[in-house]
Amino acid sequence: LWLIAAVLGLTGWAWGARVLRAQTMSLRNRDFIQAARANGEPLHRVILVEMLPNLLAIIASSFVGTMTAAVLGLTTLAFIGVIPVSNLNWGTILFWAQQNNAFPDYWWWYVPAGLCIALLGVSLALINFG
């Protein structure tokens, strides 16, 4: 499970980093940053006091989006059988429902897991929008 978490973490950071870098480069040329530099403020104060409050919304939304993608990625990997089926998660529930031909007759095998995945995705998207 640590290997899968490491792979998802290593492959999931690039989008958020690109967006954060672009916003940081945009902030770098704003007047209030230039004024802080002209006043002789140290670099750590410019970063922590001037730039970081303007970047918090992007950092939070990037974190929530990456977390959503990681949960859905793990669920997908479990459903297609890449990770061990002894681990209990929503993907393995759907995997076993599919392996035991539960679709569409035994809806109570797959509907709760599907609803939980959908509700988690919607709730994280609503947190991101908020």
Side-chain angles (χ1 to χ4, degrees):
L1 201 57
W2 286 101
L3 178 65
I4 293 168
V7 168
L8 289 174
L10 286 175
T11 59
W13 66 271
W15 181 85
R18 288 183 64 195
V19 170
L20 187 62
R21 182 183 184 279
Q23 185 65 25
T24 304
M25 291 298 163
S26 170
L27 279 175
R28 188 171 130 184
N29 296 323
R30 301 254 175 103
D31 291 338
F32 64 94
I33 299 295
Q34 297 297 331
R37 283 178 156 174
N39 284 338
E41 296 290 338
L43 182 62
H44 70 278
R45 186 188 184 287
V46 171
I47 292 172
L48 292 175
V49 175
E50 303 293 339
M51 293 184 94
L52 191 60
N54 291 307
L55 295 173
L56 279 179
I58 291 176
I59 292 170
S61 98
S62 176
F63 175 74
V64 171
T66 303
M67 192 168 64
T68 304
V71 167
L72 294 177
L74 178 67
T75 303
T76 302
L77 290 175
F79 175 69
I80 62 175
V82 173
I83 65 173
V85 292
S86 61
N87 295 342
L88 188 59
N89 60 38
W90 293 322
T92 55
I93 291 171
L94 294 174
F95 172 80
W96 284 115
Q98 190 254 345
Q99 290 296 317
N100 293 321
N101 296 323
F103 299 108
D105 298 328
Y106 302 109
W107 61 269
W108 53 89
W109 278 26
Y110 57 87
V111 168
L115 282 176
C116 287
I117 294 167
L119 287 175
L120 179 72
V122 167
S123 65
L124 289 173
L126 289 175
I127 289 171
N128 191 12
F129 292 149

PDB file of all heavy atoms in Angstrom, residues 32-51:
ATOM      1  N   PHE A  32       2.589  45.619  -4.801  1.00  0.00           N
ATOM      2  CA  PHE A  32       2.833  45.511  -3.360  1.00  0.00           C
ATOM      3  C   PHE A  32       4.062  44.659  -3.059  1.00  0.00           C
ATOM      4  O   PHE A  32       4.747  44.879  -2.061  1.00  0.00           O
ATOM      5  CB  PHE A  32       1.591  45.010  -2.614  1.00  0.00           C
ATOM      6  CG  PHE A  32       1.151  43.624  -2.959  1.00  0.00           C
ATOM      7  CD1 PHE A  32       1.570  42.542  -2.210  1.00  0.00           C
ATOM      8  CD2 PHE A  32       0.296  43.396  -4.028  1.00  0.00           C
ATOM      9  CE1 PHE A  32       1.155  41.267  -2.504  1.00  0.00           C
ATOM     10  CE2 PHE A  32      -0.138  42.126  -4.327  1.00  0.00           C
ATOM     11  CZ  PHE A  32       0.310  41.052  -3.571  1.00  0.00           C
ATOM     12  N   ILE A  33       4.380  43.702  -3.919  1.00  0.00           N
ATOM     13  CA  ILE A  33       5.602  42.913  -3.731  1.00  0.00           C
ATOM     14  C   ILE A  33       6.821  43.778  -4.060  1.00  0.00           C
ATOM     15  O   ILE A  33       7.822  43.755  -3.341  1.00  0.00           O
ATOM     16  CB  ILE A  33       5.568  41.646  -4.617  1.00  0.00           C
ATOM     17  CG1 ILE A  33       4.381  40.763  -4.248  1.00  0.00           C
ATOM     18  CG2 ILE A  33       6.878  40.880  -4.510  1.00  0.00           C
ATOM     19  CD1 ILE A  33       4.439  40.173  -2.871  1.00  0.00           C
ATOM     20  N   GLN A  34       6.721  44.520  -5.146  1.00  0.00           N
ATOM     21  CA  GLN A  34       7.824  45.407  -5.516  1.00  0.00           C
ATOM     22  C   GLN A  34       8.049  46.471  -4.438  1.00  0.00           C
ATOM     23  O   GLN A  34       9.196  46.823  -4.136  1.00  0.00           O
ATOM     24  CB  GLN A  34       7.540  46.079  -6.869  1.00  0.00           C
ATOM     25  CG  GLN A  34       7.442  45.112  -8.029  1.00  0.00           C
ATOM     26  CD  GLN A  34       8.730  44.359  -8.284  1.00  0.00           C
ATOM     27  OE1 GLN A  34       9.810  44.856  -8.001  1.00  0.00           O
ATOM     28  NE2 GLN A  34       8.602  43.153  -8.809  1.00  0.00           N
ATOM     29  N   ALA A  35       6.964  46.959  -3.837  1.00  0.00           N
ATOM     30  CA  ALA A  35       7.091  47.949  -2.766  1.00  0.00           C
ATOM     31  C   ALA A  35       7.753  47.347  -1.534  1.00  0.00           C
ATOM     32  O   ALA A  35       8.589  47.992  -0.880  1.00  0.00           O
ATOM     33  CB  ALA A  35       5.722  48.516  -2.410  1.00  0.00           C
ATOM     34  N   ALA A  36       7.400  46.120  -1.198  1.00  0.00           N
ATOM     35  CA  ALA A  36       8.026  45.457  -0.048  1.00  0.00           C
ATOM     36  C   ALA A  36       9.512  45.235  -0.301  1.00  0.00           C
ATOM     37  O   ALA A  36      10.337  45.414   0.606  1.00  0.00           O
ATOM     38  CB  ALA A  36       7.327  44.129   0.231  1.00  0.00           C
ATOM     39  N   ARG A  37       9.872  44.859  -1.514  1.00  0.00           N
ATOM     40  CA  ARG A  37      11.281  44.690  -1.848  1.00  0.00           C
ATOM     41  C   ARG A  37      12.019  46.026  -1.795  1.00  0.00           C
ATOM     42  O   ARG A  37      13.159  46.102  -1.325  1.00  0.00           O
ATOM     43  CB  ARG A  37      11.419  44.098  -3.242  1.00  0.00           C
ATOM     44  CG  ARG A  37      11.136  42.642  -3.305  1.00  0.00           C
ATOM     45  CD  ARG A  37      11.268  42.221  -4.732  1.00  0.00           C
ATOM     46  NE  ARG A  37      11.557  40.821  -4.858  1.00  0.00           N
ATOM     47  CZ  ARG A  37      11.607  40.200  -5.999  1.00  0.00           C
ATOM     48  NH1 ARG A  37      11.411  40.875  -7.122  1.00  0.00           N
ATOM     49  NH2 ARG A  37      11.854  38.913  -6.048  1.00  0.00           N
ATOM     50  N   ALA A  38      11.362  47.082  -2.314  1.00  0.00           N
ATOM     51  CA  ALA A  38      12.003  48.394  -2.321  1.00  0.00           C
ATOM     52  C   ALA A  38      12.207  48.924  -0.902  1.00  0.00           C
ATOM     53  O   ALA A  38      13.161  49.674  -0.647  1.00  0.00           O
ATOM     54  CB  ALA A  38      11.162  49.382  -3.127  1.00  0.00           C
ATOM     55  N   ASN A  39      11.335  48.548   0.016  1.00  0.00           N
ATOM     56  CA  ASN A  39      11.478  48.965   1.413  1.00  0.00           C
ATOM     57  C   ASN A  39      12.558  48.182   2.145  1.00  0.00           C
ATOM     58  O   ASN A  39      12.841  48.459   3.306  1.00  0.00           O
ATOM     59  CB  ASN A  39      10.160  48.801   2.164  1.00  0.00           C
ATOM     60  CG  ASN A  39       9.179  49.886   1.820  1.00  0.00           C
ATOM     61  OD1 ASN A  39       9.564  50.958   1.362  1.00  0.00           O
ATOM     62  ND2 ASN A  39       7.904  49.610   2.055  1.00  0.00           N
ATOM     63  N   GLY A  40      13.130  47.190   1.489  1.00  0.00           N
ATOM     64  CA  GLY A  40      14.204  46.415   2.102  1.00  0.00           C
ATOM     65  C   GLY A  40      13.721  45.287   2.987  1.00  0.00           C
ATOM     66  O   GLY A  40      14.448  44.833   3.871  1.00  0.00           O
ATOM     67  N   GLU A  41      12.493  44.838   2.779  1.00  0.00           N
ATOM     68  CA  GLU A  41      11.975  43.720   3.565  1.00  0.00           C
ATOM     69  C   GLU A  41      12.783  42.455   3.250  1.00  0.00           C
ATOM     70  O   GLU A  41      13.155  42.218   2.103  1.00  0.00           O
ATOM     71  CB  GLU A  41      10.510  43.468   3.228  1.00  0.00           C
ATOM     72  CG  GLU A  41       9.580  44.603   3.576  1.00  0.00           C
ATOM     73  CD  GLU A  41       9.413  44.772   5.065  1.00  0.00           C
ATOM     74  OE1 GLU A  41       9.652  43.828   5.834  1.00  0.00           O
ATOM     75  OE2 GLU A  41       9.053  45.886   5.476  1.00  0.00           O
ATOM     76  N   PRO A  42      13.054  41.631   4.271  1.00  0.00           N
ATOM     77  CA  PRO A  42      13.764  40.380   3.988  1.00  0.00           C
ATOM     78  C   PRO A  42      12.898  39.440   3.140  1.00  0.00           C
ATOM     79  O   PRO A  42      11.669  39.514   3.148  1.00  0.00           O
ATOM     80  CB  PRO A  42      14.026  39.779   5.366  1.00  0.00           C
ATOM     81  CG  PRO A  42      13.415  40.677   6.357  1.00  0.00           C
ATOM     82  CD  PRO A  42      12.815  41.851   5.668  1.00  0.00           C
ATOM     83  N   LEU A  43      13.561  38.544   2.429  1.00  0.00           N
ATOM     84  CA  LEU A  43      12.864  37.652   1.506  1.00  0.00           C
ATOM     85  C   LEU A  43      11.853  36.771   2.227  1.00  0.00           C
ATOM     86  O   LEU A  43      10.743  36.556   1.729  1.00  0.00           O
ATOM     87  CB  LEU A  43      13.878  36.794   0.739  1.00  0.00           C
ATOM     88  CG  LEU A  43      13.305  35.846  -0.296  1.00  0.00           C
ATOM     89  CD1 LEU A  43      12.590  36.638  -1.391  1.00  0.00           C
ATOM     90  CD2 LEU A  43      14.387  34.982  -0.879  1.00  0.00           C
ATOM     91  N   HIS A  44      12.207  36.249   3.402  1.00  0.00           N
ATOM     92  CA  HIS A  44      11.272  35.377   4.111  1.00  0.00           C
ATOM     93  C   HIS A  44      10.000  36.133   4.517  1.00  0.00           C
ATOM     94  O   HIS A  44       8.912  35.574   4.512  1.00  0.00           O
ATOM     95  CB  HIS A  44      11.936  34.711   5.320  1.00  0.00           C
ATOM     96  CG  HIS A  44      12.254  35.645   6.445  1.00  0.00           C
ATOM     97  ND1 HIS A  44      13.379  36.430   6.459  1.00  0.00           N
ATOM     98  CD2 HIS A  44      11.567  35.923   7.579  1.00  0.00           C
ATOM     99  CE1 HIS A  44      13.385  37.153   7.568  1.00  0.00           C
ATOM    100  NE2 HIS A  44      12.294  36.870   8.273  1.00  0.00           N
ATOM    101  N   ARG A  45      10.110  37.420   4.843  1.00  0.00           N
ATOM    102  CA  ARG A  45       8.917  38.188   5.194  1.00  0.00           C
ATOM    103  C   ARG A  45       8.058  38.466   3.964  1.00  0.00           C
ATOM    104  O   ARG A  45       6.835  38.416   4.027  1.00  0.00           O
ATOM    105  CB  ARG A  45       9.285  39.516   5.855  1.00  0.00           C
ATOM    106  CG  ARG A  45       8.024  40.226   6.344  1.00  0.00           C
ATOM    107  CD  ARG A  45       8.296  41.624   6.839  1.00  0.00           C
ATOM    108  NE  ARG A  45       7.114  42.233   7.387  1.00  0.00           N
ATOM    109  CZ  ARG A  45       6.074  42.678   6.665  1.00  0.00           C
ATOM    110  NH1 ARG A  45       6.064  42.529   5.374  1.00  0.00           N
ATOM    111  NH2 ARG A  45       5.034  43.224   7.251  1.00  0.00           N
ATOM    112  N   VAL A  46       8.689  38.730   2.834  1.00  0.00           N
ATOM    113  CA  VAL A  46       7.937  38.948   1.598  1.00  0.00           C
ATOM    114  C   VAL A  46       7.165  37.682   1.233  1.00  0.00           C
ATOM    115  O   VAL A  46       5.987  37.740   0.871  1.00  0.00           O
ATOM    116  CB  VAL A  46       8.883  39.364   0.445  1.00  0.00           C
ATOM    117  CG1 VAL A  46       8.154  39.390  -0.882  1.00  0.00           C
ATOM    118  CG2 VAL A  46       9.496  40.711   0.734  1.00  0.00           C
ATOM    119  N   ILE A  47       7.814  36.534   1.396  1.00  0.00           N
ATOM    120  CA  ILE A  47       7.150  35.272   1.054  1.00  0.00           C
ATOM    121  C   ILE A  47       6.028  34.968   2.042  1.00  0.00           C
ATOM    122  O   ILE A  47       4.904  34.659   1.638  1.00  0.00           O
ATOM    123  CB  ILE A  47       8.177  34.127   1.006  1.00  0.00           C
ATOM    124  CG1 ILE A  47       9.118  34.318  -0.180  1.00  0.00           C
ATOM    125  CG2 ILE A  47       7.476  32.773   0.915  1.00  0.00           C
ATOM    126  CD1 ILE A  47      10.282  33.368  -0.217  1.00  0.00           C
ATOM    127  N   LEU A  48       6.322  35.041   3.349  1.00  0.00           N
ATOM    128  CA  LEU A  48       5.349  34.629   4.360  1.00  0.00           C
ATOM    129  C   LEU A  48       4.210  35.623   4.563  1.00  0.00           C
ATOM    130  O   LEU A  48       3.070  35.225   4.798  1.00  0.00           O
ATOM    131  CB  LEU A  48       6.043  34.377   5.698  1.00  0.00           C
ATOM    132  CG  LEU A  48       6.984  33.174   5.746  1.00  0.00           C
ATOM    133  CD1 LEU A  48       7.691  33.114   7.082  1.00  0.00           C
ATOM    134  CD2 LEU A  48       6.222  31.900   5.473  1.00  0.00           C
ATOM    135  N   VAL A  49       4.489  36.917   4.489  1.00  0.00           N
ATOM    136  CA  VAL A  49       3.478  37.919   4.819  1.00  0.00           C
ATOM    137  C   VAL A  49       2.772  38.451   3.580  1.00  0.00           C
ATOM    138  O   VAL A  49       1.562  38.698   3.605  1.00  0.00           O
ATOM    139  CB  VAL A  49       4.114  39.064   5.642  1.00  0.00           C
ATOM    140  CG1 VAL A  49       3.127  40.175   5.894  1.00  0.00           C
ATOM    141  CG2 VAL A  49       4.661  38.529   6.951  1.00  0.00           C
ATOM    142  N   GLU A  50       3.501  38.625   2.503  1.00  0.00           N
ATOM    143  CA  GLU A  50       2.916  39.234   1.318  1.00  0.00           C
ATOM    144  C   GLU A  50       2.375  38.203   0.323  1.00  0.00           C
ATOM    145  O   GLU A  50       1.279  38.358  -0.214  1.00  0.00           O
ATOM    146  CB  GLU A  50       3.954  40.121   0.615  1.00  0.00           C
ATOM    147  CG  GLU A  50       4.538  41.212   1.482  1.00  0.00           C
ATOM    148  CD  GLU A  50       3.537  42.280   1.862  1.00  0.00           C
ATOM    149  OE1 GLU A  50       2.505  42.424   1.178  1.00  0.00           O
ATOM    150  OE2 GLU A  50       3.780  42.971   2.872  1.00  0.00           O
ATOM    151  N   MET A  51       3.133  37.147   0.068  1.00  0.00           N
ATOM    152  CA  MET A  51       2.741  36.210  -0.990  1.00  0.00           C
ATOM    153  C   MET A  51       1.854  35.059  -0.500  1.00  0.00           C
ATOM    154  O   MET A  51       0.887  34.711  -1.156  1.00  0.00           O
ATOM    155  CB  MET A  51       3.980  35.647  -1.680  1.00  0.00           C
ATOM    156  CG  MET A  51       4.743  36.690  -2.464  1.00  0.00           C
ATOM    157  SD  MET A  51       6.108  36.003  -3.356  1.00  0.00           S
ATOM    158  CE  MET A  51       5.328  35.720  -4.921  1.00  0.00           C
TER     159      MET A  51
END
